[in-house]
Amino acid sequence: LTLSHPRQHSIFQAVVSFYTYHFAKMTAAATKPPRYYPAEDAKSSKSTYKVRQNPPKIRKSITPGTVLIILAGRFRGKRVVCLKPLESGLLLVSGPYKINGVPLRRVNPAYVIATSTKVDISKVDAASITDEYFSRSKDDTKEGEEAFFEGAAPKPAVVSDARKEDQKKVDAALLQAVAAVPMLEGYLAAHFTLSSSDKPHKMKF
């Protein structure tokens, strides 16, 4: 840009100074720090999302009616009948209780051996038994914490009458299915053990 007249030059400088001043003022206002700062314990809001976890896959060898061998826990070495897989990925099993003392309970499929023995459990109704069936009530948890801090002796586990009735109902149909297979009752009652000379990798369960 060429300015021949001195007056034009002075007007141009005035315009440039005007816009430079106001631009610097607007920039300073935009970058001005806030007057009040949040407290140190104030949590910034974050976008939350719910992660959906799929239950673990059950082995193809484990189906309703399969006789399983429990490898860990209180009933390790016991043979039980698989009733159905639950939504959590655990297995609902029963001894039956009258044969080997194993009640209705959940077991992790990673700690069982699936045998080739099958039982027809089409007449066994276990539809009402879900993961919520085994959840503890809040009152029982509160009493357990209070008893722990007070130093009192822990109360023995009490099985509710509803669970006893459910156990009898399931085992009544399950015992009939077991009785229909020769020698199956003795097989379920026997305890699974291994000696030093046994070779588990060569066994066919």
Side-chain angles (χ1 to χ4, degrees), residues 9-200:
H9 183 71
S10 60
I11 294 174
F12 176 76
Q13 286 184 340
V15 171
V16 171
S17 301
F18 175 81
Y19 281 105
T20 303
Y21 171 76
H22 285 280
F23 178 76
K25 190 174 181 180
M26 288 188 295
T27 306
T31 58
K32 185 178 181 180
R35 187 173 180 181
Y36 299 101
Y37 293 92
E40 293 181 358
D41 56 350
K43 296 182 179 179
S44 59
S45 60
K46 297 181 180 179
S47 58
T48 58
Y49 59 94
K50 191 174 182 180
V51 179
R52 181 179 179 183
Q53 295 182 349
N54 296 324
K57 294 183 179 180
I58 307 298
R59 300 196 299 270
K60 294 182 180 180
S61 57
I62 301 177
T63 57
T66 304
V67 176
L68 308 175
I69 301 174
I70 301 178
L71 301 178
R74 175 184 172 188
F75 298 102
R76 60 182 177 273
K78 297 281 188 178
R79 293 180 171 90
V80 295
V81 180
C82 176
L83 299 180
K84 65 175 182 178
L86 300 173
E87 292 183 0
S88 61
L90 301 178
L91 304 174
L92 177 65
V93 301
S94 180
Y97 183 78
K98 186 177 180 180
I99 294 178
N100 52 24
V102 181
L104 284 168
R105 64 186 290 109
R106 297 178 297 177
V107 296
N108 193 325
Y111 298 102
V112 298
I113 296 177
T115 66
S116 58
T117 306
K118 305 284 184 179
V119 182
D120 182 14
I121 60 169
S122 58
K123 296 182 180 180
V124 178
D125 184 15
S128 61
I129 302 177
T130 59
D131 288 308
E132 289 75 16
Y133 180 83
F134 297 95
S135 61
R136 294 184 180 181
S137 61
K138 295 182 179 180
D139 296 337
D140 296 340
T141 306
K142 187 176 181 181
E143 290 179 359
E145 292 178 354
E146 291 178 356
F148 174 79
F149 288 108
E150 291 176 1
K155 297 180 180 179
V158 179
V159 181
S160 63
D161 295 336
R163 282 205 177 188
K164 291 180 181 179
E165 292 298 326
D166 293 337
Q167 184 74 53
K168 291 179 181 179
K169 177 184 175 182
V170 172
D171 283 358
L174 188 58
L175 286 171
Q176 292 181 0
V178 171
V181 181
M183 302 177 65
L184 182 58
E185 183 175 348
Y187 176 71
L188 291 174
H191 198 274
F192 175 77
T193 56
L194 290 174
S195 62
S196 58
S197 59
D198 292 332
K199 298 179 180 180

